[in-house]
Amino acid sequence: MRTSEASVERRKSSSRDVLADAIKRRHAILFVGAGVSMAVGLPSWQSLVDHLLKELDLSPDVIDGMSDGYQLLAEFYRLKQGGMGPLRSWLDRTWKVAPDRVAESQLHKLIVELDFPAIYTTNYDRNLETAFEVHNKPYAKIANAKQMADAADGVTHIIKYHGDFDDDASLVLTETDFLDRLSFDSPLDIKFRADALGRTILFIGYSMSDPNIRLLLHGIWQTWERSGHRDHRPRSFVFMPSSNPVQEAMLARWGITLLTPESGACADDALVAFLADIHARTRPS
């Protein structure tokens, strides 16, 4: 291994040790994106776009050039249908994975075993809750202020950051929903800001092409910059299956370390291998 490659590997190992230590001390929270649900067979966002185009009898070219076309289509759907009930029901039926499949997922098993005090997710599905149930681990689901107040202490809190199928009012799906959230002053936003100030954050299953996630990361950075104590900010991390110098520089600007697979790791199993390595580092030596 060349000297430069060895140096990169040492930095990776050091970052992984920092993350593992934070998890071991229950001083880290997990933020889960769509990539984790797709790993157990959930459809991509494109399936939602296709369904909306069909339901609204529209041609695909109406969203040409729109990076977040599903949000605008969902907005149009609500205007045309007068509500989101049928779409929510379709999502609930379509974005559902059999418990057996979740039980067989090594990725979900590792998420449960890492024992984060809080897991935030922008996914609407119930796969995380199912994983905790099939592995007999207690949890509290939080999608609104009432559930936040009722959540038991001492168990993992699964915070449905963009809502939950059991509460239509909580869903963040349309363009207006997302714009309303940009103020980041909902009860869930306030909770997240409090958690982000005091704990290490690990983001998995996300693409940095998602503008909502970039805005979220920028918001965390901005909060620390304004606090006057940025040097005391806990380190945070994003795991991605490949390195990208542009994204790495952008994330570093916001105080987020990009973690990538170790040399020789299989790309298809990169996230599982990463979490397995972190899990091993949290165990007594």
Side-chain angles (χ1 to χ4, degrees):
M1 184 181 290
R2 292 179 301 191
T3 302
S4 60
E5 292 176 341
S7 177
V8 169
E9 290 301 320
R10 283 196 298 273
R11 286 200 301 273
K12 282 184 181 178
S13 180
S14 174
S15 293
R16 290 183 181 215
D17 284 338
V18 169
L19 173 59
D21 180 65
I23 292 172
K24 185 161 49 176
R25 293 185 290 110
R26 291 182 60 77
H27 207 256
I29 59 176
L30 184 65
F31 215 113
V32 174
V36 170
S37 290
M38 290 172 66
V40 289
L42 223 66
S44 68
W45 285 109
Q46 186 59 45
S47 68
L48 173 58
V49 171
D50 293 342
H51 175 77
L52 286 167
L53 289 171
K54 181 179 178 181
E55 287 291 298
L56 296 166
D57 195 24
L58 294 172
S59 168
D61 59 16
V62 301
I63 56 168
D64 281 352
M66 298 180 188
S67 60
D68 295 303
Y70 79 89
Q71 297 171 10
L72 290 173
L73 285 174
E75 186 77 44
F76 187 55
Y77 179 96
R78 182 156 61 187
L79 290 172
K80 295 281 286 185
Q81 302 293 336
M84 301 298 286
L87 178 60
R88 197 276 304 160
S89 297
W90 178 85
L91 283 167
D92 198 6
R93 292 193 308 273
T94 305
W95 288 10
K96 183 177 291 184
V97 176
D100 288 351
R101 181 127 188 214
V102 176
E104 294 168 359
S105 167
Q106 183 65 12
L107 174 56
H108 285 79
K109 183 173 184 285
L110 284 164
I111 289 173
V112 173
E113 290 181 348
L114 281 166
D115 195 29
F116 291 93
I119 300 175
Y120 286 78
T121 180
T122 50
N123 300 337
Y124 309 111
D125 63 74
R126 299 189 178 98
N127 290 339
L128 287 172
E129 297 96 297
T130 300
F132 275 75
E133 289 163 6
V134 299
H135 293 294
N136 299 311
K137 188 78 177 289
Y139 70 92
K141 180 179 72 175
I142 299 174
N144 54 49
K146 179 182 182 303
Q147 290 175 340
M148 189 185 304
D150 293 342
D153 293 328
V155 301
T156 296
H157 291 177
I158 299 177
I159 299 101
K160 309 295 285 286
Y161 201 62
H162 281 174
D164 179 71
F165 289 140
D166 291 337
D167 179 8
D168 286 3
S170 72
L171 293 175
V172 179
L173 183 59
T174 71
E175 178 80 353
T176 296
D177 296 334
F178 279 93
L179 292 175
D180 286 345
R181 287 298 295 274
L182 292 183
S183 61
F184 293 111
D185 60 0
S186 77
L188 297 191
D189 292 315
I190 294 168
K191 177 176 174 56
F192 177 67
R193 282 203 303 271
D195 282 342
L197 278 170
R199 291 173 173 171
T200 288
I201 311 168
L202 171 62
F203 293 84
I204 61 172
Y206 284 106
S207 164
M208 288 303 106
S209 63
D210 185 336
N212 298 296
I213 295 305
R214 294 204 305 275
L215 183 60
L216 188 67
L217 295 176
H218 176 266
I220 297 169
W221 169 80
Q222 194 173 53
T223 297
W224 273 101
E225 287 293 302
R226 291 173 175 172
S227 74
H229 301 282
R230 64 180 181 180
D231 292 341
H232 298 279
R233 174 185 173 182
R235 288 183 65 184
S236 288
F237 304 90
V238 172
F239 178 82
M240 299 183 69
S242 61
S243 181
N244 180 307
V246 175
Q247 291 180 338
E248 187 167 5
M250 176 185 71
L251 290 166
R253 171 73 176 85
W254 295 335
I256 310 287
T257 300
L258 174 63
L259 297 175
T260 53
E262 294 181 324
S263 299
C266 173
D268 290 342
D269 300 322
L271 180 54
V272 170
F274 166 71
L275 290 183
D277 177 55
I278 297 299
H279 185 268
R281 292 170 191 252
T282 66
R283 301 298 95 187
S285 56

